[in-house]
Amino acid sequence: MGNYKKYVLPGDAACPGCPIPIGLKVVSSATDGKAILVIPACCTSVVVGSAPKSSLNMPVVHVPFASAASVASGIREALLKRNKEDMSVIVWAGDGGTADIGMASLSGAAERNSDIIYIMYDNEAYMNTGIQRSSSTPEGAWTTTTPILGKTEQKKDVAKIMMSHNVPYVATASIAYPHDFYNKLTRALKIKGFRFIQLHSPCPVGWRFDASLTVDVAKAAVETGMWILYEYRDGKLEFSNPSKYLIEHNGFKPIEDYLKLQGRFSIIGRERIKELYAERDRNIEWFKKLL
């Protein structure tokens, strides 16, 4: 990877173990800093801070929750008018600003095939405002707005929704596999039109695990099939190597290995765990039909 140290500076406001600086290091490396980041209200707004004391040495536009994809589309059009095609425009947004509040503008940008990259760092709840459930929170997970039973609904699959928009590029990634994320972002940068990457990003505070285990938890999600790594390009899907091997060899670890690492699943019942197994298997069979 490139020299991220020029762009992601020490001394940010991230919690210990936060996955956001890991992801931003990959983004700055892949782009070599030649990108304007559009960041809606989310943890990252706080983590990087605002000028003149930002910890991110790249152009950043902080915008309201719902507008990120629209603002990014406008910035990109302005750059094209000024013949500055070498500067990419990247939305860096959480799951709340993507799956919920920002869904309308996201869908609009995808439908217009706006020439931007949208990265959803998915920490599966509204962490910045107090760990409230989002539509991207997985079934059975505790949040401060689902304290008794955990979330009773399934996780909204935003990447699949983007695939249904027939955009040029959709991918999933994980902060446990930074080189895979880097390679996907590098490929996305070479494509014109709307590109979407959903980055699985475990949050120690909201998911209730020790801050030293962020990468271990992210890796466990892939190893148990709770997070599948793939690319979808020009109507064709390809599993990424870590998930491809596990799917081909039926080598997934028990889902319980992932759940037990996190306090947010301490109230989950046996029946709901069975549902997670069924959901995982249905998900994989759905993807196999696109191979």
Side-chain angles (χ1 to χ4, degrees), residues 11-87:
D12 61 34
C15 302
C18 177
I20 291 171
I22 300 175
L24 290 177
K25 289 174 183 175
V26 175
V27 172
S28 61
S29 295
T31 61
D32 196 23
K34 294 179 181 178
I36 297 173
L37 296 188
V38 179
I39 302 177
C42 59
C43 290
T44 306
S45 305
V46 178
V47 169
V48 303
S50 56
K53 296 183 178 180
S54 174
S55 66
L56 191 61
N57 189 24
M58 292 174 64
V60 174
V61 181
H62 293 287
V63 299
F65 245 136
S67 65
S70 299
V71 172
S73 299
I75 292 173
R76 182 58 180 164
E77 290 300 317
L79 290 173
L80 293 176
K81 292 290 184 184
R82 298 182 180 187
N83 297 316
K84 294 184 177 180
E85 294 190 24
D86 61 335
M87 179 66 80

